[in-house]
Amino acid sequence: MADEEEEMEAMSHPELMALFRKELNKLMQDPLLADLPSEPTVEEVNAQLALEHGRAIVVNVRQMDDVGTILPVVVVQNATVDDLKKAIKRHITLKQEREGGTITNINWKHVWKTYLLTYDGQKLTEDHKPLKEYGITSKDVVTFTKRLRRK
């Protein structure tokens, strides 16, 4: 063990990063972590573990794009509508960072004024209401829906 520590102290930063990535790739072969991206965040690993232990659910969020993209968003079992909105924001931000290219600065205040989330015909309008009260369970689909303008 002491020999390994001495070897690591003699390594350069790029060599240590390469070793770290190699070891991380070994860990990612575990079936429990197989659904995670190649370089997951701590939050993503914790969410995956919470899913495995039944402390979280996946809510599939359908975007209002031409292809109806589905975003699998992980939230805790007792999550509220506001928790889901925050998880959507984190999911989209991480997705943009990983895809590279131009990162769009999304005005989330505008998004939530223009769109709302719906589930099975119900509008999820009460931010502090638990998802369970709307009948939302794991793998259910919630959809972005354009708000109707009031005159």
Side-chain angles (χ1 to χ4, degrees), residues 57-115:
I57 60 172
V58 174
V59 177
N60 292 311
V61 180
R62 180 178 291 124
Q63 287 185 290
M64 294 289 295
D65 56 12
D66 295 335
V67 292
T69 304
I70 300 283
L71 306 172
V73 178
V74 178
V75 292
V76 293
Q77 282 280 358
N78 59 349
T80 62
V81 173
D82 192 49
D83 294 331
L84 177 59
K85 288 178 178 181
K86 288 174 184 172
I88 291 168
K89 179 180 175 181
R90 281 190 308 273
H91 184 92
I92 290 175
T93 302
L94 268 174
K95 184 178 176 194
Q96 284 184 336
E97 288 173 2
R98 286 195 174 113
E99 289 174 352
T102 307
I103 295 178
T104 308
N105 189 13
I106 298 172
N107 181 340
W108 287 98
K109 193 172 184 177
H110 175 73
V111 169
W112 300 124
K113 278 185 176 182
T114 310
Y115 296 93

Side-chain angles (χ1 to χ4, degrees), residues 39-49 98:
E39 293 186 20
T41 63
V42 172
E43 183 180 11
E44 288 172 315
V45 172
N46 287 336
Q48 188 68 25
L49 292 171
R98 286 195 174 113

